[in-house]
Amino acid sequence: METKDWLIKDLKDNWLEDRAAKVERVNKIDKEYYRQYDIKQGLRNSDGTGVVVGFTKIGSVHGYTYCDGVKTPIEGKLFYRDIEIDELVKNTGEFGFESIVYLLLFGELPGEEELRKFNAILDGFRKLPTHFTENTILKSPSRDVMNKLQRAILVLYSYDEKPDSLAIDRILVQSLKLIARFPTIISYGFQAKAHYFDDQSLYLHNPKEGLGTAANILHMIRANNDYTQLEKDTLDLLLILHAEHGGGNNSAFTTHVVSSSGTDTYSAVGAAVGSLKGPKHGGANLRVKAMVDDIKENLADYSDRAELKKYLKQILKGEVFDQKGLIYGMGHAVYTKSDPRAVILKKKSKELAAAKDRLKEFELYDNIESLTKEIFKEERGEDVEICANVDLYSGFVYQLLNIPEELFTPLFATARVASWCAHRIEQLVSDHKIIRPAYKSLKNEEKCTIR
């Protein structure tokens, strides 16, 4: 019998299912061990606070105070280089996202002339290398744009004369090229996916100088290149709000870990993209959209607050939707009373919804937020604080902008890449030790060896 026939027969005889069950069984670790030896699962303390593993000057997230062992909820605050996000949103101007990129990399906001020069540098890097689009994107399209983005980043290593250099000036050039090219890569990656897998027409628009990141994205993903000022401003705001979130978020920490080994910029940023791709991180707004679609499908009148509250309780009990017992878009690892990004984005989403005649949908998201807070206080106590996170409104805003859901997470990556590059530089400049935490070894199910 040929190997192929043997393999097909074994697969039909449940060989793979049996082995998968065995693999799951032999790798399962009893949760009691984590409690017994005070292992910090997810690098979280027992009260949910994060384990402190380093310092950062790039960004900080404040959601509670912690004094004398007591955790007290506060209104959320987010700082980029010690400047509060509310202030940045109000004062960054026409090229808001580009100003934020400059701030994250260089530690200060640019002046008018410096911003003009910086935009010109980014414009000079936006186009992809010769034949890169054909050979890397079109000849090997992917159903997932994040997968295509990650592969494209790694291929760009081959176009760099000194890709492994750890000189800061070289890393800055690599960083600026990646920041400038992310919008082009995700736009072309989406167009290739739509053409080869969804049987749609293929549109490849060159990025244009002088538009900035947000406008170029709308220009490249739309067949007619058309967009309104409100749409451009809204996407620019989204990019700003997603640009940085401290060193402890999963993808930023991934950047620190991988960079600490001394590897190249492309490997470090590629790893961060892989982290962000996960539904527990950058893909969370897709789960919000799926949940809202389910609500619309199952409620005759989703504006009826009593019916919506009843259904949200069923979602929380794991009885409906994906049966995970989660109301997506609600709750955060750090923020307690409020997520400042969600507060800002909620106001903008209402403005855009009004312009698009979709205020009824906005009210659905608003009701999900307020009713979930009610449910948690009723069922888990008046002292329980839960807030809407940025994902509750970001997916809705993307829909209002007519952005395909395949681009939700890639746009998050486009916003966050400047932060990853800043965290990489911070790691290389400030901490020369390779990050290497310890794991306890379990000899068997009953005994634990401590090392």
Side-chain angles (χ1 to χ4, degrees):
M1 181 182 296
E2 292 184 5
T3 302
K4 184 178 180 181
D5 294 336
W6 170 86
L7 180 59
I8 292 173
K9 182 179 184 301
D10 259 25
L11 288 175
K12 287 182 178 179
D13 291 340
N14 297 321
W15 183 91
L16 192 58
E17 288 184 17
D18 290 343
R19 268 59 179 186
K22 181 177 181 180
V23 166
E24 186 173 348
R25 185 172 65 255
V26 301
N27 285 287
K28 188 75 170 180
I29 295 175
D30 192 328
K31 288 187 176 181
E32 180 56 35
Y33 286 118
Y34 294 95
R35 290 187 287 270
Q36 183 178 351
Y37 293 98
D38 193 27
I39 299 297
K40 312 292 187 180
Q41 276 189 287
L43 288 179
R44 304 269 186 93
N45 296 307
S46 59
D47 61 1
T49 59
V51 175
V52 178
V53 297
F55 297 96
T56 183
K57 292 182 176 180
I58 298 165
S60 59
V61 181
H62 299 175
Y64 53 84
T65 60
Y66 200 74
C67 298
D68 299 325
V70 179
K71 180 179 175 182
T72 305
I74 61 172
E75 298 294 343
K77 293 185 179 295
L78 173 61
F79 297 86
Y80 294 0
R81 296 286 188 180
D82 292 330
I83 305 175
E84 197 166 353
I85 189 64
D86 300 75
E87 181 181 343
L88 288 171
V89 166
K90 291 175 185 175
N91 298 317
T92 45
E94 178 71 13
F95 295 100
F97 177 64
E98 287 73 25
S99 296
I100 296 303
V101 171
Y102 190 96
L103 171 67
L104 294 175
L105 289 176
F106 303 111
E108 62 183 14
L109 287 168
E112 185 177 337
E113 180 60 21
E114 189 63 26
L115 180 59
R116 186 190 66 78
K117 291 178 181 178
F118 187 61
N119 280 332
I121 291 170
L122 293 178
D123 280 341
F125 289 147
R126 290 195 190 280
K127 288 186 179 180
L128 301 176
T130 304
H131 304 308
F132 187 93
T133 301
E134 298 91 324
N135 294 333
T136 303
I137 297 178
L138 297 182
K139 286 186 178 180
S140 56
S142 175
R143 287 182 172 86
D144 191 296
V145 181
M146 287 292 281
N147 170 266
K148 173 49 61 184
L149 174 61
Q150 190 174 38
R151 284 194 279 162
I153 293 165
L154 297 177
V155 173
L156 284 171
Y157 175 100
S158 302
Y159 290 78
D160 190 330
E161 292 182 359
K162 297 180 180 179
D164 293 301
S165 173
L166 295 183
I168 297 304
D169 60 344
R170 291 298 309 172
I171 293 175
L172 268 176
V173 171
Q174 293 165 350
S175 299
L176 291 171
K177 285 184 176 180
L178 286 172
I179 292 164
R181 288 169 173 171
F182 261 45
T184 314
I185 293 170
I186 67 168
S187 298
Y188 290 1
F190 167 71
Q191 295 292 357
K193 184 266 179 188
H195 178 65
Y196 290 104
F197 296 108
D198 302 332
D199 199 29
Q200 297 181 23
S201 297
L202 179 65
Y203 299 98
L204 296 179
H205 303 302
N206 287 326
K208 291 182 67 176
E209 294 183 4
L211 293 185
T213 302
N216 257 308
I217 290 169
L218 295 172
H219 165 79
M220 287 189 286
I221 67 173
R222 292 182 173 177
N224 62 2
N225 310 123
D226 198 23
Y227 55 89
T228 67
Q229 184 67 33
L230 177 58
E231 288 177 324
K232 177 264 178 189
D233 291 344
T234 303
L235 183 55
D236 190 67
L237 175 64
L238 271 166
L239 295 174
I240 291 173
L241 294 177
H242 281 111
E244 159 64 8
H245 213 240
N249 70 80
N250 196 275
S251 55
F253 185 58
T254 296
T255 308
H256 278 277
V257 172
V258 177
S259 294
S260 76
S261 74
T263 193
D264 64 277
T265 298
Y266 305 95
S267 294
V269 174
V273 169
S275 164
L276 192 72
K277 182 175 180 287
K280 294 180 181 179
H281 192 6
N285 52 27
L286 290 171
R287 300 308 303 152
V288 173
K289 181 181 182 300
M291 179 186 74
V292 170
D293 288 344
D294 179 80
I295 290 171
K296 289 178 179 178
E297 184 178 337
N298 286 282
L299 294 185
D301 180 10
Y302 59 74
S303 63
D304 185 323
R305 283 176 58 87
E307 285 301 305
L308 178 58
K309 186 174 183 178
K310 180 180 177 182
Y311 199 73
L312 288 172
K313 285 183 176 181
Q314 290 179 287
I315 292 176
L316 196 59
K317 292 176 182 178
E319 298 173 352
V320 293
F321 183 43
D322 63 1
Q323 300 182 328
K324 296 288 181 63
L326 298 172
I327 297 178
Y328 294 97
M330 296 298 300
H332 191 269
V334 179
Y335 297 123
T336 51
K337 288 191 172 184
S338 62
D339 177 342
R341 303 168 302 170
V343 173
I344 293 168
L345 194 57
K346 181 178 180 179
K347 293 178 182 177
K348 196 67 173 181
S349 68
K350 186 175 183 179
E351 179 186 354
L352 189 59
K356 302 271 186 176
D357 195 25
R358 293 173 67 175
L359 277 174
K360 183 180 178 181
E361 287 179 80
F362 168 80
E363 289 167 2
L364 170 58
Y365 287 86
D366 187 27
N367 285 335
I368 290 172
E369 178 183 357
S370 61
L371 291 172
T372 300
K373 291 179 180 180
E374 285 183 17
I375 292 168
F376 269 74
K377 287 189 176 296
E378 290 170 1
E379 299 190 357
R380 302 186 183 183
E382 279 295 322
D383 293 335
V384 173
E385 295 285 356
I386 187 171
C387 65
N389 60 54
V390 70
D391 296 308
L392 182 64
Y393 292 101
S394 63
F396 177 51
V397 172
Y398 286 140
Q399 292 176 71
L400 291 173
L401 292 172
N402 294 317
I403 290 174
E405 64 181 70
E406 295 96 327
L407 282 171
F408 287 9
T409 312
L411 284 170
F412 194 159
T414 299
R416 191 58 65 88
V417 63
S419 167
W420 295 333
C421 292
H423 280 282
R424 169 170 168 75
I425 292 170
E426 186 178 63
Q427 178 68 37
L428 294 173
V429 169
S430 299
D431 190 347
H432 301 142
K433 284 187 176 292
I434 187 170
I435 296 174
R436 189 194 180 283
Y439 276 69
K440 293 184 183 296
S441 174
L442 290 174
K443 292 183 67 175
N444 54 49
E445 294 181 359
E446 297 180 353
K447 296 180 180 180
C448 185
T449 300
I450 304 176
R451 296 179 180 177

Short mmCIF file of all heavy atoms in Angstrom, two decimals, residues 43-86:
data_model
loop_
_atom_site.label_atom_id
_atom_site.label_comp_id
_atom_site.label_asym_id
_atom_site.label_seq_id
_atom_site.Cartn_x
_atom_site.Cartn_y
_atom_site.Cartn_z
N LEU A 43 1.24 36.16 33.48
CA LEU A 43 1.97 37.24 34.15
C LEU A 43 1.00 38.20 34.86
O LEU A 43 1.15 39.40 34.82
CB LEU A 43 2.86 38.00 33.15
CG LEU A 43 4.11 37.26 32.67
CD1 LEU A 43 4.89 38.10 31.68
CD2 LEU A 43 5.00 36.87 33.85
N ARG A 44 -0.01 37.59 35.49
CA ARG A 44 -0.99 38.35 36.26
C ARG A 44 -0.92 37.93 37.73
O ARG A 44 -0.80 36.74 38.03
CB ARG A 44 -2.41 38.09 35.76
CG ARG A 44 -2.64 38.38 34.28
CD ARG A 44 -3.10 39.81 34.05
NE ARG A 44 -3.45 40.01 32.66
CZ ARG A 44 -4.68 39.86 32.18
NH1 ARG A 44 -5.65 39.50 32.98
NH2 ARG A 44 -4.93 40.07 30.90
N ASN A 45 -1.02 38.90 38.62
CA ASN A 45 -1.16 38.59 40.04
C ASN A 45 -2.58 38.10 40.31
O ASN A 45 -3.46 38.22 39.46
CB ASN A 45 -0.86 39.84 40.88
CG ASN A 45 0.59 40.30 40.74
OD1 ASN A 45 1.51 39.51 40.93
ND2 ASN A 45 0.78 41.57 40.39
N SER A 46 -2.79 37.55 41.49
CA SER A 46 -4.10 36.96 41.81
C SER A 46 -5.23 37.98 41.78
O SER A 46 -6.38 37.62 41.56
CB SER A 46 -4.04 36.29 43.20
OG SER A 46 -3.69 37.25 44.19
N ASP A 47 -4.90 39.27 41.99
CA ASP A 47 -5.94 40.30 41.97
C ASP A 47 -6.15 40.88 40.57
O ASP A 47 -6.89 41.85 40.40
CB ASP A 47 -5.61 41.42 42.96
CG ASP A 47 -4.30 42.12 42.63
OD1 ASP A 47 -3.66 41.76 41.63
OD2 ASP A 47 -3.92 43.04 43.38
N GLY A 48 -5.48 40.30 39.56
CA GLY A 48 -5.67 40.75 38.19
C GLY A 48 -4.65 41.77 37.72
O GLY A 48 -4.58 42.08 36.52
N THR A 49 -3.88 42.34 38.65
CA THR A 49 -2.86 43.30 38.25
C THR A 49 -1.71 42.60 37.53
O THR A 49 -1.44 41.42 37.78
CB THR A 49 -2.31 44.07 39.47
OG1 THR A 49 -1.75 43.12 40.39
CG2 THR A 49 -3.41 44.86 40.15
N GLY A 50 -1.03 43.32 36.67
CA GLY A 50 0.07 42.72 35.92
C GLY A 50 1.34 42.63 36.74
O GLY A 50 1.62 43.46 37.61
N VAL A 51 2.12 41.58 36.49
CA VAL A 51 3.43 41.43 37.12
C VAL A 51 4.38 42.44 36.47
O VAL A 51 4.52 42.47 35.24
CB VAL A 51 3.97 40.00 36.94
CG1 VAL A 51 5.39 39.89 37.49
CG2 VAL A 51 3.05 39.00 37.62
N VAL A 52 5.03 43.26 37.26
CA VAL A 52 5.94 44.27 36.72
C VAL A 52 7.24 43.60 36.30
O VAL A 52 7.91 42.95 37.10
CB VAL A 52 6.22 45.38 37.75
CG1 VAL A 52 7.20 46.40 37.19
CG2 VAL A 52 4.93 46.07 38.15
N VAL A 53 7.62 43.75 35.02
CA VAL A 53 8.82 43.09 34.50
C VAL A 53 9.83 44.07 33.91
O VAL A 53 10.88 43.66 33.45
CB VAL A 53 8.45 42.02 33.43
CG1 VAL A 53 7.60 40.93 34.03
CG2 VAL A 53 7.74 42.67 32.24
N GLY A 54 9.50 45.36 33.91
CA GLY A 54 10.43 46.31 33.33
C GLY A 54 9.91 47.73 33.42
O GLY A 54 8.88 48.01 34.04
N PHE A 55 10.65 48.63 32.78
CA PHE A 55 10.29 50.04 32.73
C PHE A 55 10.04 50.46 31.28
O PHE A 55 10.57 49.87 30.36
CB PHE A 55 11.42 50.91 33.30
CG PHE A 55 11.72 50.67 34.75
CD1 PHE A 55 12.74 49.80 35.12
CD2 PHE A 55 11.00 51.31 35.74
CE1 PHE A 55 13.03 49.56 36.45
CE2 PHE A 55 11.28 51.08 37.08
CZ PHE A 55 12.30 50.21 37.44
N THR A 56 9.23 51.49 31.11
CA THR A 56 9.05 52.07 29.78
C THR A 56 8.76 53.56 29.90
O THR A 56 8.11 54.00 30.85
CB THR A 56 7.92 51.39 28.99
OG1 THR A 56 7.85 51.97 27.68
CG2 THR A 56 6.58 51.53 29.67
N LYS A 57 9.28 54.33 28.96
CA LYS A 57 8.98 55.76 28.87
C LYS A 57 7.96 56.05 27.77
O LYS A 57 7.57 57.20 27.58
CB LYS A 57 10.27 56.54 28.56
CG LYS A 57 11.31 56.57 29.67
CD LYS A 57 12.50 57.42 29.23
CE LYS A 57 13.53 57.56 30.33
NZ LYS A 57 14.68 58.40 29.89
N ILE A 58 7.57 55.03 27.03
CA ILE A 58 6.81 55.25 25.80
C ILE A 58 5.34 55.52 26.06
O ILE A 58 4.75 56.44 25.49
CB ILE A 58 6.99 54.05 24.85
CG1 ILE A 58 8.47 53.92 24.47
CG2 ILE A 58 6.12 54.20 23.59
CD1 ILE A 58 8.85 52.60 23.85
N GLY A 59 4.72 54.72 26.89
CA GLY A 59 3.30 54.90 27.17
C GLY A 59 2.92 54.29 28.50
O GLY A 59 3.63 53.42 29.02
N SER A 60 1.80 54.74 29.07
CA SER A 60 1.33 54.17 30.32
C SER A 60 -0.18 54.16 30.37
O SER A 60 -0.85 55.01 29.76
CB SER A 60 1.90 54.94 31.53
OG SER A 60 1.53 56.30 31.48
N VAL A 61 -0.70 53.18 31.08
CA VAL A 61 -2.15 52.95 31.19
C VAL A 61 -2.52 52.98 32.66
O VAL A 61 -1.96 52.22 33.46
CB VAL A 61 -2.53 51.59 30.57
CG1 VAL A 61 -4.03 51.37 30.65
CG2 VAL A 61 -2.01 51.48 29.14
N HIS A 62 -3.45 53.84 33.05
CA HIS A 62 -3.89 53.93 34.44
C HIS A 62 -5.37 53.59 34.53
O HIS A 62 -6.20 54.24 33.89
CB HIS A 62 -3.66 55.35 34.99
CG HIS A 62 -2.23 55.77 34.98
ND1 HIS A 62 -1.83 57.04 35.33
CD2 HIS A 62 -1.09 55.10 34.67
CE1 HIS A 62 -0.51 57.13 35.24
NE2 HIS A 62 -0.04 55.97 34.82
N GLY A 63 -5.68 52.57 35.34
CA GLY A 63 -7.07 52.17 35.50
C GLY A 63 -7.50 52.00 36.94
O GLY A 63 -8.69 51.80 37.22
N TYR A 64 -6.53 52.06 37.86
CA TYR A 64 -6.84 51.89 39.28
C TYR A 64 -5.64 52.37 40.09
O TYR A 64 -4.53 52.55 39.57
CB TYR A 64 -7.14 50.42 39.61
CG TYR A 64 -6.06 49.46 39.14
CD1 TYR A 64 -4.92 49.22 39.91
CD2 TYR A 64 -6.17 48.81 37.92
CE1 TYR A 64 -3.93 48.36 39.48
CE2 TYR A 64 -5.18 47.93 37.48
CZ TYR A 64 -4.07 47.72 38.27
OH TYR A 64 -3.08 46.86 37.84
N THR A 65 -5.88 52.61 41.37
CA THR A 65 -4.77 52.87 42.29
C THR A 65 -4.57 51.62 43.14
O THR A 65 -5.51 50.83 43.34
CB THR A 65 -5.07 54.06 43.21
OG1 THR A 65 -6.25 53.79 43.98
CG2 THR A 65 -5.27 55.33 42.39
N TYR A 66 -3.34 51.44 43.62
CA TYR A 66 -3.03 50.26 44.42
C TYR A 66 -2.20 50.71 45.61
O TYR A 66 -1.01 51.00 45.49
CB TYR A 66 -2.26 49.25 43.56
CG TYR A 66 -2.29 47.84 44.09
CD1 TYR A 66 -3.45 47.07 43.97
CD2 TYR A 66 -1.18 47.27 44.70
CE1 TYR A 66 -3.50 45.77 44.44
CE2 TYR A 66 -1.22 45.97 45.18
CZ TYR A 66 -2.38 45.23 45.05
OH TYR A 66 -2.43 43.94 45.52
N CYS A 67 -2.84 50.83 46.78
CA CYS A 67 -2.17 51.32 47.98
C CYS A 67 -2.44 50.38 49.15
O CYS A 67 -3.61 50.02 49.40
CB CYS A 67 -2.65 52.72 48.33
SG CYS A 67 -2.30 53.96 47.07
N ASP A 68 -1.38 49.98 49.84
CA ASP A 68 -1.49 49.09 51.01
C ASP A 68 -2.29 47.84 50.70
O ASP A 68 -3.11 47.38 51.52
CB ASP A 68 -2.13 49.84 52.18
CG ASP A 68 -1.31 51.04 52.63
OD1 ASP A 68 -0.06 50.94 52.57
OD2 ASP A 68 -1.90 52.06 53.01
N GLY A 69 -2.08 47.30 49.53
CA GLY A 69 -2.73 46.06 49.14
C GLY A 69 -4.17 46.21 48.70
O GLY A 69 -4.86 45.22 48.46
N VAL A 70 -4.65 47.46 48.61
CA VAL A 70 -6.04 47.70 48.22
C VAL A 70 -6.09 48.29 46.81
O VAL A 70 -5.46 49.30 46.52
CB VAL A 70 -6.73 48.67 49.21
CG1 VAL A 70 -8.16 48.94 48.77
CG2 VAL A 70 -6.70 48.09 50.62
N LYS A 71 -6.85 47.64 45.93
CA LYS A 71 -7.02 48.09 44.55
C LYS A 71 -8.29 48.93 44.46
O LYS A 71 -9.38 48.45 44.76
CB LYS A 71 -7.11 46.87 43.62
CG LYS A 71 -7.31 47.19 42.16
CD LYS A 71 -7.36 45.89 41.35
CE LYS A 71 -7.67 46.15 39.89
NZ LYS A 71 -7.76 44.89 39.11
N THR A 72 -8.15 50.19 44.03
CA THR A 72 -9.29 51.10 43.96
C THR A 72 -9.52 51.55 42.53
O THR A 72 -8.62 52.12 41.90
CB THR A 72 -9.05 52.34 44.84
OG1 THR A 72 -8.75 51.91 46.18
CG2 THR A 72 -10.26 53.25 44.84
N PRO A 73 -10.72 51.32 41.97
CA PRO A 73 -11.01 51.73 40.59
C PRO A 73 -10.98 53.25 40.42
O PRO A 73 -11.38 53.99 41.32
CB PRO A 73 -12.43 51.19 40.35
CG PRO A 73 -12.61 50.10 41.36
CD PRO A 73 -11.83 50.56 42.57
N ILE A 74 -10.48 53.72 39.27
CA ILE A 74 -10.49 55.14 38.92
C ILE A 74 -10.87 55.27 37.45
O ILE A 74 -10.87 54.29 36.71
CB ILE A 74 -9.12 55.80 39.17
CG1 ILE A 74 -8.04 55.14 38.30
CG2 ILE A 74 -8.74 55.77 40.63
CD1 ILE A 74 -6.70 55.83 38.32
N GLU A 75 -11.18 56.49 37.04
CA GLU A 75 -11.42 56.75 35.63
C GLU A 75 -10.13 56.50 34.85
O GLU A 75 -9.05 56.91 35.28
CB GLU A 75 -11.89 58.19 35.40
CG GLU A 75 -13.21 58.54 36.09
CD GLU A 75 -14.40 57.78 35.53
OE1 GLU A 75 -14.29 57.23 34.41
OE2 GLU A 75 -15.45 57.73 36.21
N GLY A 76 -10.24 55.83 33.72
CA GLY A 76 -9.05 55.43 32.97
C GLY A 76 -8.32 56.60 32.33
O GLY A 76 -8.94 57.57 31.88
N LYS A 77 -7.01 56.49 32.30
CA LYS A 77 -6.17 57.47 31.63
C LYS A 77 -5.11 56.75 30.80
O LYS A 77 -4.59 55.71 31.21
CB LYS A 77 -5.50 58.41 32.63
CG LYS A 77 -6.47 59.33 33.38
CD LYS A 77 -5.74 60.31 34.27
CE LYS A 77 -6.72 61.22 35.00
NZ LYS A 77 -7.46 62.09 34.06
N LEU A 78 -4.80 57.31 29.63
CA LEU A 78 -3.80 56.75 28.74
C LEU A 78 -2.83 57.85 28.36
O LEU A 78 -3.25 58.95 27.97
CB LEU A 78 -4.47 56.18 27.48
CG LEU A 78 -3.57 55.70 26.34
CD1 LEU A 78 -2.66 54.57 26.80
CD2 LEU A 78 -4.42 55.26 25.15
N PHE A 79 -1.53 57.58 28.51
CA PHE A 79 -0.50 58.57 28.22
C PHE A 79 0.44 58.06 27.14
O PHE A 79 0.87 56.90 27.18
CB PHE A 79 0.32 58.88 29.48
CG PHE A 79 -0.47 59.49 30.60
CD1 PHE A 79 -1.16 58.69 31.50
CD2 PHE A 79 -0.52 60.86 30.75
CE1 PHE A 79 -1.89 59.24 32.54
CE2 PHE A 79 -1.26 61.43 31.79
CZ PHE A 79 -1.93 60.62 32.68
N TYR A 80 0.74 58.91 26.17
CA TYR A 80 1.81 58.64 25.21
C TYR A 80 2.94 59.60 25.55
O TYR A 80 2.78 60.82 25.46
CB TYR A 80 1.36 58.94 23.76
CG TYR A 80 0.28 58.05 23.20
CD1 TYR A 80 -0.29 57.02 23.93
CD2 TYR A 80 -0.20 58.27 21.91
CE1 TYR A 80 -1.29 56.22 23.39
CE2 TYR A 80 -1.19 57.47 21.35
CZ TYR A 80 -1.73 56.45 22.10
OH TYR A 80 -2.71 55.66 21.55
N ARG A 81 4.10 59.06 25.94
CA ARG A 81 5.24 59.90 26.33
C ARG A 81 4.82 60.98 27.33
O ARG A 81 5.17 62.15 27.21
CB ARG A 81 5.88 60.55 25.10
CG ARG A 81 6.49 59.57 24.11
CD ARG A 81 7.78 58.99 24.62
NE ARG A 81 8.46 58.18 23.58
CZ ARG A 81 9.62 57.57 23.78
NH1 ARG A 81 10.22 57.65 24.96
NH2 ARG A 81 10.18 56.86 22.82
N ASP A 82 4.03 60.58 28.33
CA ASP A 82 3.59 61.45 29.43
C ASP A 82 2.58 62.51 29.01
O ASP A 82 2.26 63.42 29.81
CB ASP A 82 4.78 62.12 30.12
CG ASP A 82 5.65 61.13 30.88
OD1 ASP A 82 5.11 60.11 31.35
OD2 ASP A 82 6.87 61.38 30.99
N ILE A 83 2.04 62.43 27.81
CA ILE A 83 0.98 63.35 27.39
C ILE A 83 -0.33 62.57 27.33
O ILE A 83 -0.41 61.51 26.69
CB ILE A 83 1.28 63.98 26.02
CG1 ILE A 83 2.66 64.66 26.02
CG2 ILE A 83 0.20 64.99 25.64
CD1 ILE A 83 3.08 65.19 24.67
N GLU A 84 -1.36 63.08 27.98
CA GLU A 84 -2.63 62.36 28.05
C GLU A 84 -3.31 62.31 26.68
O GLU A 84 -3.24 63.26 25.91
CB GLU A 84 -3.55 63.03 29.08
CG GLU A 84 -4.70 62.14 29.52
CD GLU A 84 -5.40 62.66 30.76
OE1 GLU A 84 -4.92 63.63 31.36
OE2 GLU A 84 -6.45 62.08 31.10
N ILE A 85 -3.96 61.19 26.40
CA ILE A 85 -4.52 60.95 25.07
C ILE A 85 -5.56 62.01 24.70
O ILE A 85 -5.65 62.42 23.52
CB ILE A 85 -5.14 59.53 24.99
CG1 ILE A 85 -5.53 59.18 23.55
CG2 ILE A 85 -6.31 59.36 25.93
CD1 ILE A 85 -4.37 59.09 22.59
N ASP A 86 -6.35 62.48 25.65
CA ASP A 86 -7.35 63.52 25.35
C ASP A 86 -6.69 64.78 24.80
O ASP A 86 -7.18 65.38 23.83
CB ASP A 86 -8.14 63.88 26.62
CG ASP A 86 -8.87 62.70 27.21
OD1 ASP A 86 -8.19 61.85 27.82
OD2 ASP A 86 -10.10 62.62 27.06
#
